[in-house]
Amino acid sequence: MISLHALGRRDALRLAAMTGGGSLVPPSPSGARPLSGAQSPSGAQRTASVFDVTAYGALGDGKTDDTKAIQAALAAAGAVKGSVVNFPPAPGGCYRTSGLTVPGGVGCLRGDSDLYSAHGPAVVSLAGSVLAPLNSTTTTLLTIGSSGNGVGVDRNPHGLNVEGLGFLGTTPAGTAAPGLWGASVVDTSSVTFRNCRDLYCGAPAFHAYPPGGLGTGGFVRFLSSGTANVFSVSGRVLFCSSYGAGTFVLADGLSTAYPGGGSTDGRIMGCQVNGHAHGVELGPSLAGAGGWVVMECHFSSAEGYSHVNYGYAGTPWTLRIEGCYFDLCRDVHVDCHGHGLQAIGNYFRALTNTTAIAFGSGLNTSGSAPAAVLTGNVFDLNGSTTVASFARFEGFSAADFASHGGGQYSGNLVHNHGAKMPRSWIGQFVGSNRAAIANSSTASLDLAQGPVLSA
């Protein structure tokens, strides 16, 4: 357990608030301080609510299997509702584990980690309170909750906060652990990741990345078996940083056993995401994931496939993307297959992609689809020789969309740094036939070309 004397006044007040205003007493000589009624490793009863993994034998030397020690700390903390499990910076770079499970009762996992990726992949590093795979067969570093097989699970750690932990995707040999997830949230609601760091979890096989990566896996995924919106898995990812993830954040159903289920919603805010295969995937394969907000984040991956994809599975409504910087990517910045996209006030920069936002062919209902709002965005062509449009609608030809499309598309600006428009350019909005969509105002559609700044 951590010493009270090692805490600053701000941290002490925060911990007191998290424990309902309970007192924080000085540590026992053994250093283990579980709350009254819980047992320390020595068997003696203590009175406190912060459980330090090193007091349970975790070494953090970067090579020893710390799974049993950390799991023992989690189990002890689970007996104390609202408890904190503290991960001191690992002296050897990381705590190696074959996989940990957070039980109900735990209120917070707490650590401090630092990610340096300004010159990645040539120079990247992750240090501090870091979890890492024991070997290449490790599939998940941290599992939060267990499946209720279609019903809610009261014993799961609902409301858990994960603060400052780092998640490393490489083995002691320096190779990628294929398919690794840093964290999996299963049938558990209101889980928050704040100021966490990820390096190479589920790393793709990009140039100069650790060998062995497949691009499957990633930083954190939210999975629900809830059907017919019986319950939802809600999550928040706030002020986190990631480099080289397969996917930064994924939300989906739990398995094919619950088709159409898996209701999830959440917030992704203030995050820095670089070098990924996919940034955010919402409902990619098993279930709809609506009600998400992605706000004030930065995404950049010259080799990546997309920054946000939404609505491949199920029938989700509502994704709000606001104030984000969508830097380079290979394919499309926002790949949208669900209704209700609101893209407001974002900045997009082109590379080899042909459009910034693509609406899928399934969004073809006359008089309503795709029911999106695109306004106040800036598309920087960046000298691209391949870009053709700002937004493409695969569900309609250009003429059909002007007559029967749904939504609002206005006030967006395109510029090419004062240079001429590329020969590939067709127009701000194009249909499935790759023809420009004319300005239109109907009962269901408001579409107007914004300014185009070029030579």
Side-chain angles (χ1 to χ4, degrees):
M1 297 292 179
I2 63 175
S3 168
L4 178 64
H5 305 298
L7 293 174
R9 180 175 181 272
R10 181 180 297 176
D11 287 338
L13 290 173
R14 182 167 67 171
L15 289 175
M18 292 177 65
T19 57
S23 62
L24 293 171
V25 302
S28 67
S30 68
R33 304 194 301 90
L35 202 74
S36 178
Q39 296 291 320
S40 72
S42 65
Q45 286 192 339
R46 310 294 179 194
T47 55
S49 61
V50 181
F51 295 74
D52 193 304
V53 298
T54 61
Y56 288 78
L59 299 179
D61 60 8
K63 54 185 179 180
T64 299
D65 184 356
D66 285 325
T67 304
K68 289 184 178 180
I70 298 174
Q71 196 63 58
L74 290 167
V80 182
K81 188 174 182 180
S83 56
V84 177
V85 178
N86 186 62
F87 292 77
C94 61
Y95 297 93
R96 293 284 173 186
T97 177
S98 58
L100 303 164
T101 300
V102 183
V106 178
C108 180
L109 308 182
R110 187 168 176 267
D112 292 289
S113 60
D114 295 295
L115 172 66
Y116 177 81
S117 62
H119 298 290
V123 180
V124 292
S125 64
L126 178 62
S129 308
V130 177
L131 299 177
L134 181 64
N135 52 47
S136 61
T137 65
T138 305
T139 57
T140 306
L141 297 176
L142 190 68
T143 298
I144 298 169
S146 59
S147 174
N149 298 322
V151 297
V153 185
D154 291 340
R155 67 179 180 275
N156 280 349
H158 303 285
L160 177 73
N161 288 296
V162 183
E163 299 186 358
L165 290 186
F167 298 83
L168 178 64
T170 54
T171 69
T175 59
L180 176 75
W181 283 97
S184 291
V185 180
V186 181
D187 284 355
T188 305
S189 293
S190 300
V191 176
T192 300
F193 292 81
R194 181 183 290 106
N195 290 320
C196 293
R197 309 290 180 250
D198 153 59
L199 178 60
Y200 291 137
C201 283
F206 290 168
H207 175 70
Y209 278 30
L214 301 175
T216 54
F219 169 45
V220 59
R221 58 181 175 176
F222 297 88
L223 305 176
S224 173
S225 68
T227 57
N229 289 324
V230 171
F231 68 91
S232 66
V233 170
S234 59
R236 290 175 291 273
V237 181
L238 311 176
F239 313 115
C240 295
S241 298
S242 172
Y243 186 88
T247 295
F248 175 56
V249 174
L250 179 145
D252 208 352
L254 183 62
S255 76
T256 55
Y258 311 102
S263 177
T264 64
D265 62 82
R267 305 290 182 269
I268 303 168
M269 304 177 70
C271 296
Q272 179 82 24
V273 188
N274 298 90
H276 48 277
H278 298 283
V280 176
E281 295 191 273
L282 304 175
S285 57
L286 297 173
W292 282 82
V293 173
V294 182
M295 182 177 290
E296 296 182 357
C297 295
H298 180 280
F299 297 88
S300 181
S301 182
E303 296 184 82
Y305 304 108
S306 69
H307 295 320
V308 178
N309 66 58
Y310 160 64
Y312 273 95
T315 55
W317 276 84
T318 307
L319 164 63
R320 186 178 183 90
I321 302 175
E322 183 174 353
C324 292
Y325 187 125
F326 290 107
D327 207 345
L328 309 177
C329 75
R330 181 171 62 184
D331 192 1
V332 60
H333 296 87
V334 177
D335 187 12
C336 181
H337 296 260
H339 291 88
L341 171 66
Q342 304 165 52
I344 301 171
N346 302 287
Y347 178 91
F348 299 84
R349 189 157 75 113
L351 183 63
T352 58
N353 45 316
T354 60
T355 193
I357 301 174
F359 293 93
S361 59
L363 298 173
N364 57 8
T365 304
S366 180
S368 63
V373 175
L374 309 184
T375 187
N377 300 287
V378 175
F379 190 25
D380 176 0
L381 303 190
N382 193 38
S384 170
T385 60
T386 60
V387 67
S389 64
F390 169 56
R392 185 174 69 235
F393 301 86
E394 294 288 1
F396 296 86
S397 69
D400 284 344
F401 191 81
S403 301
H404 305 294
Q408 182 178 22
Y409 314 89
S410 60
N412 301 289
L413 182 147
V414 175
H415 75 86
N416 197 25
H417 295 278
K420 293 181 179 180
M421 299 298 283
R423 292 183 179 180
S424 57
W425 183 256
I426 299 171
Q428 285 193 11
F429 307 102
V430 303
S432 58
N433 58 341
R434 303 304 188 265
I437 301 172
N439 290 350
S440 178
S441 180
T442 69
S444 62
L445 176 65
D446 178 10
L447 185 147
Q449 315 291 323
V452 177
L453 308 181
S454 64

